[in-house]
Amino acid sequence: MKTITSKILIAFIAIAMLGSCSQEFLDEPQPTSGVPETVVFSSRAGVEAFISGIMRRFRGQYTSVDSAGLNSIFYARTVKGNDVIAANTWFSFDYSNDNREPTYRRTGFSWNYPYYMINQANALINGVEASTSLSAADKKELAAYGYALRGFFYHQLVLEFAPTYSAGLDFPAPPIYTETVVTGKAMSTVGEVYALIVSDLTKAVDGLTANRLGKSYINKNVANGILAQVYQVMGNKWPEAEAAAKAAYGGAPLAVLNAASYSAGFNDYSNIEWIWGSAQSTDQSNYYWGWPHAGADFTTTSYSATYFNVNFVSLFSATDVRKRFNLRSSTLPATDFRYWITNKFKFTFDADHPIIRTPEMILIEAEALYNQSKPTEAHNLLYLLQKNRDVNAVKSTNTGASLLNEILVERRKELYAEIGVEWFDAKRLRRGITRTGNHRILTPANLAPDDKKFYLKVPQAEIDANDLIDESVNANR
């Protein structure tokens, strides 16, 4: 059995997840074990215990299978695209791109869960910085952990509840909280949220080291990886995106790529290609809430609810190690949505979930090089990854926009069903998503460029509880 560093003896993590951010989610945390904050923040061991408690909430079980932690937000994005097909089960409303109204479970969870984690990050930052017992070095590093966590979850919030960065910085975005409070604040703007995110992640990169308690924790490499994703969305800081991506994986691609591991089940965060993963164990697990694994593995007891577009499958050559597809049944016609399945993900109760992997960073670096008018360097880096994945890969002759599209296709091939990469790219680049092939829902689920269905409405529970947000917030959403 894999082991997970467990220091939750002092952690004061609330379990309730159902209220609005201005009530339960922003209440000051209280220690469940009766240990006061003065004890928690009096030593590095106490703070690390608190951090372990926070990270445990990456694999929680909250309101339902489709609202079970970060993995469920990623998977909801995955099924909004064209490459992956969801059966009529837990994520079916996400799949139909009809899951954004203020009273819906998706909207409530995708607001409440990040705010819960942000509140814990604020408690960490403020507790560490107010401590009179920690050394200056420990305070800088441990506070940096909180900044990384806060920056990461504010990025998830603004991705879910606002148009993309380049569409306009004045659009109303979720409120900004940097303290643990019990009263709600007014909406911010996209520009204000991204300013906070960049500030937080810059502090995190500066304060963190390569050391960490385990691979499910954040270190300097992870913080750089998050920052690379943020710069990628902003689209106006490509030198910074390149530098952050290289720092995340180390800058030597072949030293951290292992094509053979692609067939190992994608469930073990010790894989050299994983920079950051959400660890599971048989006694600390999402269990059947752990998608994509619990929805994609047809070889064991699972939901068996994840299928693939025939057009997406056709993108892979026969010798590409990432071509993990099988026919669901030889009697099904290719027009049936159940035609293709994958064995990429192996489901067990201790199946870890990927969050950031080296190939993503390599491809961000390639895109950043392309956007700095360095097409040769971009193409060479892209081909290096392609050749690692397919011994028979042939370097393309693509240039210009065709080269960029090749990089984007490679991202889809590399990261399918992991983090919602197709949706992420379409949103940030202001492109639509058109359903093709054997989808069970086609045209009604299409997304136009800058479609409002790329983001969610503000939850009604938040409107009801927060005196500074009223019904008008959803008028133009």
Side-chain angles (χ1 to χ4, degrees):
M1 180 192 306
K2 292 175 290 181
T3 60
I4 302 174
T5 304
S6 181
K7 295 188 175 182
I8 313 180
L9 296 177
I10 311 176
F12 43 101
I13 301 297
I15 301 301
M17 291 288 299
L18 300 179
S20 80
C21 76
S22 57
Q23 293 181 331
E24 290 127 298
F25 273 64
L26 294 177
D27 287 348
E28 185 172 350
Q30 298 298 320
T32 59
S33 61
V35 180
E37 287 186 45
T38 53
V39 174
V40 173
F41 295 106
S42 66
S43 68
R44 184 181 181 99
V47 178
E48 287 179 345
F50 182 35
I51 289 172
S52 292
I54 297 173
M55 303 313 289
R56 173 65 180 87
R57 306 315 301 162
F58 272 72
R59 54 184 183 275
Q61 295 181 3
Y62 302 113
T63 57
S64 69
V65 170
D66 59 351
S67 50
L70 179 66
N71 65 294
S72 63
I73 293 176
F74 282 172
Y75 192 77
R77 294 172 184 170
T78 291
V79 299
K80 292 177 180 181
N82 187 40
D83 295 341
V84 178
I85 302 171
N88 188 17
T89 183
W90 292 99
F91 291 86
S92 60
F93 291 106
D94 298 297
Y95 170 72
S96 63
N97 277 306
D98 185 25
N99 205 11
R100 62 186 301 268
E101 293 303 313
T103 58
Y104 288 5
R105 184 169 63 235
R106 167 64 54 224
T107 303
F109 178 76
S110 293
W111 179 279
N112 289 339
Y113 174 68
Y115 267 125
Y116 172 83
M117 299 299 280
I118 288 165
N119 195 43
Q120 300 306 310
N122 285 337
L124 171 60
I125 294 167
N126 298 333
V128 166
E129 292 183 341
S131 173
T132 59
S133 303
L134 295 168
S135 69
D138 281 347
K139 289 178 75 168
K140 181 177 182 179
E141 182 182 351
L142 295 170
Y145 197 105
Y147 286 121
L149 196 68
R150 188 169 73 186
F152 176 78
F153 277 102
Y154 262 116
H155 197 216
Q156 306 315 308
L157 266 179
V158 75
L159 285 171
E160 292 290 327
F161 288 94
T164 194
Y165 182 89
S166 63
L169 303 185
D170 294 330
F171 192 88
I176 292 174
Y177 299 92
T178 57
E179 304 284 339
T180 53
V181 298
V182 294
T183 56
K185 291 187 177 182
M187 298 287 284
S188 65
T189 66
V190 169
E192 290 169 342
V193 174
Y194 271 94
L196 174 70
I197 293 169
V198 171
S199 174
D200 277 356
L201 293 174
T202 302
K203 292 176 186 176
V205 169
D206 178 59
L208 290 167
T209 70
N211 298 323
R212 52 180 162 175
L213 296 173
K215 214 168 184 180
S216 62
Y217 292 80
I218 299 171
N219 64 358
K220 186 184 287 286
N221 299 74
V222 172
N224 270 304
I226 302 168
L227 189 55
Q229 294 171 334
V230 171
Y231 286 143
Q232 185 185 29
V233 171
M234 294 172 71
N236 59 1
K237 292 182 177 289
W238 290 112
E240 293 87 346
E242 177 193 355
K246 289 179 71 173
Y249 77 85
L254 293 180
V256 286
L257 289 176
N258 181 3
S261 69
Y262 216 92
S263 62
F266 257 77
N267 60 0
D268 186 355
Y269 75 164
S270 67
N271 187 319
I272 192 173
E273 294 190 350
W274 289 35
I275 297 171
W276 188 25
S278 178
Q280 312 287 314
S281 68
T282 52
D283 62 335
Q284 293 184 22
S285 171
N286 276 110
Y287 299 102
Y288 289 103
W289 304 38
W291 293 55
H293 302 74
D297 187 355
F298 284 72
T299 66
T300 188
T301 302
S302 74
Y303 283 105
S304 301
T306 301
Y307 302 88
F308 291 84
N309 189 340
V310 294
N311 295 331
F312 176 64
V313 175
S314 69
L315 296 175
F316 296 81
S317 70
T319 51
D320 192 325
V321 297
R322 300 168 300 187
K323 189 176 184 180
R324 309 301 306 167
F325 303 104
N326 297 303
L327 292 179
R328 178 69 180 96
S329 170
S330 59
T331 63
L332 290 173
T335 54
D336 193 294
F337 77 88
R338 299 166 297 173
Y339 192 70
W340 287 110
I341 60 175
T342 185
N343 61 4
K344 177 178 178 179
F345 304 99
K346 180 66 176 174
F347 174 58
T348 60
F349 287 164
D350 62 352
D352 303 330
H353 301 153
I355 303 176
I356 296 177
R357 293 196 301 111
T358 290
E360 179 189 1
M361 295 297 109
I362 293 172
L363 290 166
I364 290 178
E365 182 186 356
E367 186 178 349
L369 289 167
Y370 170 86
N371 281 288
Q372 294 175 77
S373 300
K374 299 177 181 178
T376 300
E377 294 94 324
H379 206 167
N380 288 342
L381 185 60
L382 171 64
Y383 180 62
L384 183 149
L385 176 62
Q386 292 170 327
K387 192 69 173 179
N388 178 267
R389 289 342 198 186
D390 182 356
V391 295
N392 295 322
V394 176
K395 192 174 184 180
S396 77
T397 59
N398 287 329
T399 60
S402 295
L403 177 58
L404 175 60
N405 287 332
E406 185 180 359
I407 293 171
L408 298 177
V409 169
E410 204 66 30
R411 282 169 55 80
R412 288 163 53 200
K413 292 166 68 177
E414 180 63 44
L415 300 166
Y416 68 85
E418 295 179 42
I419 57 174
V421 65
E422 184 187 12
W423 176 91
F424 178 87
D425 285 351
K427 177 169 183 174
R428 69 183 175 89
L429 295 171
R430 305 175 71 182
R431 301 181 177 188
I433 298 177
T434 301
R435 290 271 173 91
T436 64
N438 58 322
H439 271 276
R440 65 181 183 86
I441 299 176
L442 283 164
T443 304
N446 287 346
L447 295 171
D450 289 332
D451 200 310
K452 289 184 178 182
K453 289 182 287 186
F454 272 114
Y455 56 95
L456 307 173
K457 295 183 179 181
V458 175
Q460 188 64 44
E462 177 67 22
I463 295 170
D464 293 341
N466 189 336
D467 291 338
L468 298 180
I469 300 177
D470 60 33
E471 302 282 350
S472 65
V473 72
N474 286 325
N476 295 315
R477 288 178 176 265

